[in-house]
Amino acid sequence: MSPTPERAARAEHRWPAVAALLVAIVLYALLPSSFLPELRYTAVAIAALMFIPLIAVNPLRFHRQTKWSRRLSVGQVLFLGAANLVALVQLVYELVHADKSDGPGLLLAAAQVWITNVIVFALIYWEMDRGGPVTRTQAKRTDLPRADFRFPQDEDHDAVREVAVRSSNTSDWTASYVDYLYFSASNSMAFSPTDAMPLSHRAKLLMLIESFAGFVILALVIARAVSLLG
């Protein structure tokens, strides 16, 4: 991959994704002790170990990518996503066997699982769409893989000037982690796409899983926990 100087200078900062990943790992690690502690701490340790070589490849900005770093970064977020879905199943189990005194703890656990779910799915979308954070900014537009999501900026080139100036066609705009985080949070709360639209089957299936998990947490788990508070 040989980026143009302009595109090389636009490599995405690592810190937003790193901060989000650390928040997700900490929230997952701090789940109640009844949430399969051996499995949970093992998952946290594995995720942290996978993180070290990825930082070494791109410590500040996403300039470089190898086959192994690409597989490792995708594997890391998929692993965390699967681990958090296991925590969701455990949360439902805890609710079934909960009594009134467990209400506050279950509310907190539900919030932890939901926030982790939003962050991790945002990371999955971010890693998946158009080849990931390195390819999106370093490859030429003509060399980008097919898009999994269509953002408003991808079709704003014929809008009024102050809107069109930020379009993909005019400014060579590409989505960053914050864009996927907003999209993930919207999908988890509204149970449907908002500003961005899924284009591929895999994107739609992932959104379906996230929406269902969000529905279980928000509509069922939290409702049950609130009833325990009463």
Side-chain angles (χ1 to χ4, degrees), residues 23-205:
V23 169
I25 290 175
V26 170
L27 287 175
Y28 180 75
L30 294 179
L31 283 169
S33 58
S34 58
F35 279 59
L36 304 173
E38 296 84 2
L39 176 62
R40 195 170 77 253
Y41 294 138
T42 300
V44 169
I46 292 174
L49 288 174
M50 296 171 76
F51 187 56
I52 295 172
L54 294 175
I55 287 287
V57 173
N58 289 302
L60 298 177
R61 287 177 176 264
F62 290 96
H63 287 290
R64 296 185 298 161
Q65 179 173 279
T66 63
K67 287 184 178 180
W68 70 263
S69 68
R70 174 68 177 154
R71 291 171 181 169
L72 188 62
S73 59
V74 173
Q76 181 189 48
V77 295
L78 290 176
F79 174 74
L80 283 173
N84 196 58
L85 290 177
V86 172
L88 173 59
V89 174
Q90 180 69 21
L91 182 62
V92 175
Y93 174 83
E94 293 289 332
L95 277 171
V96 172
H97 298 85
D99 55 35
K100 189 173 181 179
S101 63
D102 296 324
L106 289 175
L107 272 178
L108 179 59
Q112 289 173 254
V113 173
W114 186 84
I115 294 171
T116 303
N117 197 60
V118 168
I119 291 173
V120 170
F121 270 92
L123 287 167
I124 294 173
Y125 302 147
W126 174 71
E127 287 282 6
M128 176 181 69
D129 190 30
R130 310 180 203 206
V134 176
T135 301
R136 271 195 306 274
T137 59
Q138 302 301 287
K140 297 178 181 178
R141 282 277 177 187
T142 53
D143 296 333
L144 288 177
R146 292 183 179 180
D148 290 286
F149 300 99
R150 185 190 70 212
F151 288 88
Q153 290 88 339
D154 295 327
E155 50 188 1
D156 282 346
H157 58 278
D158 57 352
V160 294
R161 185 197 61 80
E162 61 270 23
V163 174
V165 72
R166 292 189 175 185
S167 69
S168 302
N169 189 53
T170 304
S171 66
D172 200 23
W173 178 90
T174 55
S176 65
Y177 177 71
V178 174
D179 297 293
Y180 295 101
L181 180 62
Y182 171 77
F183 169 67
S184 178
S186 300
N187 184 53
S188 192
M189 288 186 286
F191 315 127
S192 63
T194 51
D195 67 327
M197 295 297 296
L199 301 177
S200 65
H201 287 167
R202 63 179 182 176
K204 293 175 182 178
L205 289 173

